Amino acid sequence: MTESIIVEKLNKSFPIKSTNGKGLFGIFAKNKQRFQALKEVSFSVKHGEILGYIGPNGAGKSTTIKTLTGILTPDSGKVSVEGFTPWLDRMEFTKHIGVVFGQRSLLWWDLPPKDIFPLYKEIYEIPKEQFENRVNYLVEKFEAQDFVNTPTRKLSLGQRMRCEIIAALIHKPKVLFLDEPTIGLDAIAKEKMRSFIQEINQKEKTTVVLTTHDMNDIEALADKIIVLDQGSIIFEGKPETFKKMHVKEAVMSFEVLEVKESNEFISLLAETKQVVQEGNYYEVSFNLDKMTAQQAASRLFACCNTSSFQITEPTLEEIIKEFYERSQKLQNPSRKPKA
Ligand SMILES: Nc1ncnc2c1ncn2[C@@H]1O[C@H](COP(=O)(O)OP(=O)(O)OP(=O)(O)O)[C@@H](O)[C@H]1O
Ligand SMILES: [Mg+2]
């Protein structure tokens, strides 16, 4: 079997706790209304693949992770993670997965991480020598030697997150679920976290499911992405494909040193939108459906000698930001005042 994770038509709803203006009584009153957090979600992840699971706040990312790790039971649908149905075979299943929630801790506040790790040795029934070798290996790999004996409450967020991942990897899980592992980290700590995740994935062929709001995580790590919006998958594929589908315009900037074919240059400019023109410096945007970046560059070089030439397309971060903004507008269209 090449698939590590198979999800079919997953549905999950939560009761809506609304008082309906009935005061305290309303809280206890039976309310049959439910909020549909996941709607017919289906996807698969291959062994050793890194899946970037993204979407705006409230899209259903954590609900998916909780269902795939057996914390939540769905209303309907099928899930297979390494051949297990997470919410049915929890005891045995947890030996095969590792989970890190960026917003919640696996560690105990007053104890140093090193004193917590043996707890996982017992839970996962790891032989003593194997456990010790594994902890030493991970502590070294995650460069945690200097703080692994410090009480958790005294650790920086970046240090704590490294210990969280060590705890999640002690039993060498086949699948690692990471729900916002870089949240709140500074740029250097994020970079480190990405390279640790990448290394574990490559060395141990661990399947990784990663949720994040940081598109740099996605660009650095994800083999494929799933974009979730209001509980439904709206895209599954390579990040580059998502980019291509949504990038409609590119910007070409250049300084003209000499015009060789003025008619050609005029017609090229006519097909673009001028963003900036200061003296001989131009910034023009053009529609990628009409002209590829390469065609635009070839046409320019055929009619002009230029310097400081550059073509820029929006980054994944910008595309996703625009996409989320559009999705929010659809969810909250501005209300017209009542007449
Ligand atoms: N235990 C719960 N009870 C009621 N509603 C819930 C519960 N858990 C999640 N929800 C609702 O389900 C929806 C999806 O939540 P979820 O936490 O999965 O979103 P998310 O994509 O992880 O968002 P974020 O990016 O903010 O972490 C939200 O509207 C949330 O309010
Ligand atoms: Mg979440």
Side-chain angles (χ1 to χ4, degrees):
M1 190 178 72
T2 58
E3 257 75 37
S4 167
I5 301 174
I6 304 171
V7 179
E8 283 172 22
K9 296 182 176 240
L10 195 63
N11 285 291
K12 176 69 190 173
S13 62
F14 296 107
I16 296 174
K17 283 186 194 126
S18 144
T19 61
N20 292 328
K22 292 176 190 160
L24 253 188
F25 176 75
I27 296 172
F28 300 107
K30 270 212 164 157
N31 190 336
K32 294 226 168 76
Q33 265 193 322
R34 294 180 73 86
F35 173 77
Q36 196 70 30
L38 295 177
K39 302 166 192 162
E40 301 283 303
V41 167
S42 302
F43 63 89
S44 60
V45 190
K46 291 194 176 73
H47 286 287
E49 198 168 39
I50 302 187
L51 170 70
Y53 201 67
I54 60 179
N57 290 130
K61 303 179 297 294
S62 298
T63 305
T64 309
I65 302 281
K66 285 176 191 161
T67 313
L68 265 53
T69 53
I71 297 167
L72 289 176
T73 306
D75 301 348
S76 63
K78 279 191 200 163
V79 174
S80 162
V81 178
E82 292 295 323
F84 291 91
T85 302
W87 56 93
L88 295 182
D89 314 306
R90 265 196 100 179
M91 289 302 280
E92 185 55 31
F93 174 61
T94 47
K95 292 181 185 163
H96 300 271
I97 61 157
V99 192
V100 173
F101 287 98
Q103 318 243 36
R104 235 188 289 156
S105 182
L106 291 172
L107 306 169
W108 292 3
W109 211 230
D110 287 319
L111 293 178
K114 193 94 190 247
D115 290 357
I116 307 295
F117 298 155
L119 190 71
Y120 292 101
K121 170 185 169 293
E122 299 306 320
I123 294 174
Y124 301 127
E125 298 170 348
I126 312 168
K128 189 169 181 288
E129 202 183 313
Q130 193 181 322
F131 166 77
E132 280 166 5
N133 289 340
R134 181 73 175 161
V135 169
N136 290 340
Y137 167 77
L138 289 170
V139 166
E140 199 180 313
K141 182 111 304 203
F142 283 71
E143 299 163 18
Q145 302 92 329
D146 294 345
F147 50 81
V148 79
N149 287 308
T150 308
T152 300
R153 71 186 141 78
K154 291 191 182 166
L155 297 180
S156 76
L157 184 59
Q159 292 170 335
R160 204 196 81 205
M161 284 312 291
R162 282 193 242 174
C163 293
E164 299 278 354
I165 296 217
I166 293 175
L169 288 172
I170 282 179
H171 54 305
K172 214 172 181 178
K174 296 198 185 87
V175 188
L176 182 62
F177 292 94
L178 303 169
D179 194 356
E180 302 195 44
T182 59
I183 192 166
L185 302 189
D186 67 39
I188 294 169
K190 278 185 178 189
E191 202 60 59
K192 274 218 146 98
M193 187 57 78
R194 286 176 200 133
S195 69
F196 293 140
I197 296 168
Q198 201 158 40
E199 207 173 320
I200 289 294
N201 162 259
Q202 281 168 2
K203 285 229 165 80
E204 304 188 350
K205 305 284 169 257
T206 319
T207 308
V208 179
V209 178
L210 163 82
T211 85
T212 181
H213 286 289
D214 187 328
M215 289 310 125
N216 294 324
D217 291 347
I218 296 295
E219 301 246 33
L221 295 171
D223 297 310
K224 86 165 176 185
I225 56 170
I226 284 179
V227 184
L228 199 67
D229 190 27
Q230 299 177 60
S232 302
I233 292 181
I234 54 145
F235 177 82
E236 178 177 359
K238 290 192 180 307
E240 304 87 76
T241 315
F242 186 80
K243 232 172 159 174
K244 273 197 194 126
M245 281 168 62
H246 290 83
V247 177
K248 294 279 169 254
E249 295 222 315
V251 174
M252 179 161 72
S253 60
F254 52 91
E255 197 176 340
V256 177
L257 300 176
E258 183 198 355
V259 179
K260 296 185 287 187
E261 303 276 350
S262 57
N263 285 347
E264 285 300 311
F265 185 46
I266 290 165
S267 89
L268 176 62
L269 287 182
E271 288 172 52
T272 64
K273 213 163 52 193
Q274 289 196 21
V275 184
V276 178
Q277 195 213 330
E278 281 168 15
N280 291 333
Y281 178 77
Y282 291 82
E283 264 180 41
V284 296
S285 72
F286 57 95
N287 193 318
L288 286 162
D289 289 337
K290 294 195 181 135
M291 200 169 15
T292 65
Q294 207 169 7
Q295 282 166 342
S298 313
R299 284 182 62 182
L300 178 70
F301 296 152
C303 60
C304 294
N305 285 332
T306 63
S307 68
S308 347
F309 173 83
Q310 217 174 1
I311 289 191
T312 42
E313 292 178 2
T315 61
L316 186 62
E317 179 88 44
E318 287 163 338
I319 300 164
I320 292 282
K321 183 168 167 272
E322 202 185 300
F323 170 78
Y324 287 3
E325 278 168 3
R326 246 184 293 140
S327 143
Q328 278 210 324
K329 269 191 202 141
L330 286 176
Q331 280 178 60
N332 313 307
S334 53
R335 290 188 194 142
K336 285 187 186 138
K338 279 182 189 164

